[in-house]
Amino acid sequence: MSLFKSRVIIIIVLGIFFSISGYTFYYGQGLSYLTDNPKTCMNCHVMRDVFERWNHSSHKEVATCNGCHIPNKFLNKWFIKALNGWNHSRAFTTGNFNEPIRISGFNAKVVEQNCATCHSTLTSDIHKSDSKEGFTCIRCHPNTGHEK
C-alpha cells in the first residue's frame, strides 16, 4: 500500500472517530459536566431520584453534587471529573450499571474525605482515633445528602 493511501485511510479513520466522539459529547451534553450545576446530574435518568432527594435535603443549601463527590484540589478535581465522566459514559452507553445506582469504593472515599473536610470541627476527634478502622460517615448517616 502506498504512503498516500495509508495517510488517506488514517485520515478517514480519525475523521470517523472524532465525528462520533464529537456527536457523543454533544448528545451527552458534555459541556455541562464542566460546571458545578447540580442539574447536570439529571442528564442521566437514573440520577433523577437522587437529584430530587438532594434537592429536598439540608445539604442543598451548602453543597452541590461536586462539593461532595469531587475532590476540592484543582488537579484532583479535574482528574476525577474526567475519570468519572469516562466511567459513567461507558456504563450508561453500554447499559452496564446497577439500579438503583450505587457509589463505588473509590468514589466513596472521595465523599468520605469531603465529609471530614466540611465537618472537621465535629469529626476531628473521630479521625484522630486509632479505632476508626471500618468507620465511615455513611455507616451512621447513609442517606445524608440524598435523604429519603
Side-chain angles (χ1 to χ4, degrees):
M1 187 180 313
S2 74
L3 184 60
F4 176 76
K5 285 183 181 180
S6 297
R7 287 183 179 168
V8 169
I9 291 171
I10 289 171
I11 290 171
I12 290 170
V13 168
L14 288 175
I16 291 169
F17 172 78
F18 285 112
S19 296
I20 291 171
S21 297
Y23 177 75
T24 301
F25 189 78
Y26 167 78
Y27 180 78
Q29 301 173 26
L31 286 177
S32 66
Y33 293 95
L34 301 177
T35 72
D36 280 335
N37 186 343
K39 289 185 178 181
T40 298
C41 296
M42 286 197 314
N43 288 349
C44 300
H45 75 277
V46 299
M47 294 303 294
R48 289 191 179 129
D49 289 341
V50 174
F51 173 84
E52 286 304 323
R53 289 194 307 269
W54 166 82
N55 199 30
H56 294 92
S57 77
S58 60
H59 278 81
K60 176 186 177 186
E61 302 303 321
V62 293
T64 63
C65 305
N66 285 335
C68 293
H69 291 276
I70 301 295
N72 295 313
K73 292 183 180 173
F74 184 81
L75 290 178
N76 290 346
K77 174 181 180 172
W78 292 104
F79 175 75
I80 298 301
K81 279 184 96 118
L83 180 63
N84 284 343
W86 169 256
N87 290 335
H88 294 165
S89 63
R90 187 186 72 235
F92 294 129
T93 300
T94 62
N96 186 17
F97 61 91
N98 296 321
E99 284 195 62
I101 194 163
R102 295 285 181 236
I103 194 167
S104 70
F106 173 77
N107 285 307
K109 287 179 184 176
V110 171
V111 171
E112 183 73 21
Q113 289 172 341
N114 286 334
C115 290
T117 299
C118 286
H119 298 285
S120 61
T121 56
L122 298 172
T123 62
S124 61
D125 288 338
I126 295 169
H127 288 281
K128 288 179 194 172
S129 167
D130 291 335
S131 63
K132 68 176 185 173
E133 188 174 318
F135 176 84
T136 65
C137 297
I138 60 171
R139 188 180 93 202
C140 297
H141 307 279
N143 296 316
T144 298
H146 304 282
E147 282 90 351
K148 290 185 178 183

